[in-house]
Structure formats: C-alpha cells, structure tokens
Amino acid sequence: MGAAAFAASVIGLSSCDAIYDDLEPCPEGVALRFVFDYNMEFANAFPSQVDCLTLLVYDAAGNYITTRTETTEVLADEDWRMVIDLPAGETYHFVAYGGLECQKSTFSFVNAPAAGSTLQQLQVSMNADCIGANPGKELHPLFFGALDMAVPEGALDYTAGTVYMMRDTNTLRILLQNVDGTPCNPDDFTFSITDDNTLLSYDNSVIETTGTTYSPYVTGQAGAGVTEGDNEALLAFAEFSTSRLIEGSGARLNIRSNITGVNVLSIPLVNYLLLLRSQQFASMGDQEFLDREHRWNVILFLDNGRWIDTRIVINDWIVRINHADL
C-alpha cells in the first residue's frame, strides 16, 4: 500500500479504534432520552413537568446493577440525555421514576434498591403521612417509565434509547351546585374518596393493601356567574390528589351531608370518569384513558339536598347517565 493510501485509511478510522495501544477505547453504554407524551395532548411534557429523575438499571435476569439520579435544571432541556457507561454485549432493563428525589416527594421506595436486590422486589409506596391523611395532601407528581434495550458490541458511541413515561398521580376537583341557584356551602358536606392504590409494583401495577380514604386537601366555595334573579350561583368544591386510577377498581366518591348525617351520594368513581371516555375517546381503551388524563373536574347537581343522578359534568362534558351501563 502506498503512503498516501495508508494515510487515508488511518484518517477514515474513528479515534477510538484500536490501531495503537495507547488510544482510548470506544464508549460503551447508553444515552437515554426521557419523554412524557402519554397524555391527552399527545405532546412531550417531560421538560415542563418532571423536576427530578431516578433511573434504576437491572440486567436481563432482573438483578440490580446501579442507580442514577438527576435533580438539576438539565431536565428542562429537550436535548439533555442521561449517559451511563455499561458493558457492551448485554441487554438491560431500565426503570425510571419522576418525582421520587424531589424535596416535596410524596412517594418513596419501600426498600431502596441495592446490591443483591431484584427487579421483582421493587415497590414504590405513597408516604405514610399521606395515607389516610385528614385534611388530605396534595401529592407531588409521580411518573413511571421502563425500557429494555441491548448495548451492542462494536458500537462507536453510546447507544441511544428513549424511556417513555406516564403519570401516576391525579387531581380531582369535585363541585356541588344547587339547581335552584341557592348557594352551596362546603361546610355542609364531608367529601372523601376510598381506593386501594397507594402501593405500586415494579411494572407500575397496583398492589392490593388495606386501602385508604382520601380527604380533600382544600375545600371552598366558587362563583359561577349570575343566574335568574341576579343571584350569583355559588358552588361548593373539594379538591383531591390520588394515586393511579385503575379500571375495575373499587374506588368510590362519597359525599355526606353534615346536616342530615346521610350520604348525598356514593358512586363508583372510575365508572363515572369513564363515561367521558365513551363519548369523546371511544377508540381509546379504558386504562389508557385513565392514565393519559390526570386532571378531572366533576360537577354534581343537588335538588333539595339530593343528588340529581341523571346528569353529571366531567371536564366540561355533560354526561347523561344510563344506570344500566354502570
């Protein structure tokens, strides 16, 4: 080979190729992007909604390898990637949580992953001071994502991958309105949600416990404008934070009258929220709809202290109720 040809062949090689013993080896590992577009906007909201990140790395057999965390402003940068050195020729399982490492976190590991632990042992629980709290707590947003990917041998750079996230926490704003326009006083009612969703498994499924009762973290009165007779309609409201809502669960919304001591209503919460999905998002599966939507506004109408159970407004959609469907 001539001198010019040999020089050209050397220039064409990557600087990490082992031509000389003193050159650095090619980087081995992953460069991970994190995306949260599993929402009703179908747009990536990770940079604006996730303020701390925990990534767990397991091998193909589910054995724990390492943990990486990020809590700085780089999370707001669309171009940011988490780079991790890992041996090539292996397949890895990554589990990501948004919201665990933040100062205001309301969820934590049941047992912190460590050497010798496995993927199947991974559990995340709502903090004890949030479970059954009265008044309730406004939960810090919790996100979950997972990815399986291999790091191939012979790659000249870190292997790119994307971890797609979903949101586990929900906000529900429940409003009561008197149909005759008279003010509705929040002090006249006790609001609660009962569910069993405070413990999450390694795959983000809910693990059954003894259940919990959510109390609102705020209650009050809100105006809805002028009605007949120039009287402003005043609604009572209660706002809740809950963990992941699951199709077919026993979650119930309960409202009791503090005046009469009897229930104004006790309804299967998830069934009623899914009434909205059946109208606007008929092609979307029930659980997907519950996971994509995380802000719920529900208006219930009262007549002489009794719930009018033929109509409900969910996220500005008026739902005519057919009890045969529930």
Side-chain angles (χ1 to χ4, degrees), residues 265-304:
L265 62 84
S266 178
I267 60 175
L269 177 63
V270 169
N271 290 15
Y272 276 76
L273 297 181
L274 286 174
L275 290 175
L276 173 61
R277 192 249 357 135
S278 65
Q279 293 187 47
Q280 188 183 11
F281 303 104
S283 63
M284 185 181 292
D286 289 352
Q287 191 58 52
E288 179 180 351
F289 177 69
L290 292 170
D291 288 333
R292 282 186 178 273
E293 183 64 83
H294 69 273
R295 296 188 185 94
W296 307 92
N297 295 289
V298 180
I299 303 178
L300 304 161
F301 298 90
L302 301 179
D303 184 11
N304 293 320

Side-chain angles (χ1 to χ4, degrees), residues 111-125:
N111 294 296
S117 66
T118 65
L119 176 65
Q120 286 70 27
Q121 295 171 324
L122 177 62
Q123 295 180 354
V124 167
S125 176

Side-chain angles (χ1 to χ4, degrees), residues 174-193:
I174 311 299
L175 298 106
L176 290 181
Q177 179 175 356
N178 286 321
V179 292
D180 63 3
T182 59
C184 200
N185 188 345
D187 295 334
D188 292 343
F189 303 94
T190 297
F191 301 80
S192 66
I193 293 174

Side-chain angles (χ1 to χ4, degrees), residues 6-40:
F6 176 78
S9 67
V10 172
I11 293 172
L13 292 171
S14 168
S15 60
C16 65
D17 287 311
I19 300 176
Y20 304 109
D21 291 339
D22 58 347
L23 288 180
E24 291 291 328
C26 291
E28 292 183 347
V30 296
L32 298 179
R33 181 190 182 206
F34 298 86
V35 170
F36 168 50
D37 60 3
Y38 203 68
N39 49 53
M40 297 307 294

